[in-house]
């Protein structure tokens, strides 16, 4: 079984990014299990002086990432880049690999 972690780059309830990921989940082929990451709004701002190991939402993110075979991000462009909250998620995830 391949596990794909779905992460929407939006915290909006009616996000089109989230809707796209729900569609991906609905049409996933046999042998692919999708899991939803829903802790984006709870993540603290990334602080390079704090590895986040004591913050429950950072610990949860890293645990979900460690159990996934793949990650699918859906995010809209925000002022020619990714949103600050999504950048923070990536930095927290990146820090876990060190």
């Amino acid at each position: 079984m391949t596990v794909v972690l779905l992460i929407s780059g939006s915290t909006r309830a009616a996000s089109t990014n989230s809707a796209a990921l729900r569609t991906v989940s609905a049409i996933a082929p046999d042998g692919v299990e999708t899991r939803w990451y829903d802790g984006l709004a709870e993540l603290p701002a990334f602080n390079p002086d704090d590895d986040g190991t004591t913050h429950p939402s950072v610990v949860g993110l890293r645990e979900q990432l460690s159990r996934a075979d793949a990650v699918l991000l859906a995010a809209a462009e925000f002022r020619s880049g990714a949103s600050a909250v999504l950048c923070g998620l990536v930095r927290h995830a990146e820090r876990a690999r060190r």
Side-chain angles (χ1 to χ4, degrees), residues 24-91:
V24 166
S25 182
I27 65 171
D30 291 341
V32 175
E33 177 185 347
T34 59
R35 296 183 184 165
W36 193 262
Y37 174 72
D38 61 0
L40 189 63
E42 287 80 37
L43 282 176
F46 179 77
N47 177 351
D49 294 328
D50 177 6
D51 68 4
T53 57
T54 60
H55 198 286
S57 63
V58 175
V59 172
L61 168 66
R62 292 176 179 170
E63 286 175 355
Q64 288 190 48
L65 288 169
S66 71
R67 292 190 298 260
D69 298 303
V71 175
L72 179 59
L73 294 168
E77 180 181 8
F78 180 75
R79 296 186 183 192
S80 301
S83 68
V85 70
L86 185 59
C87 287
L89 177 139
V90 170
R91 296 292 303 270

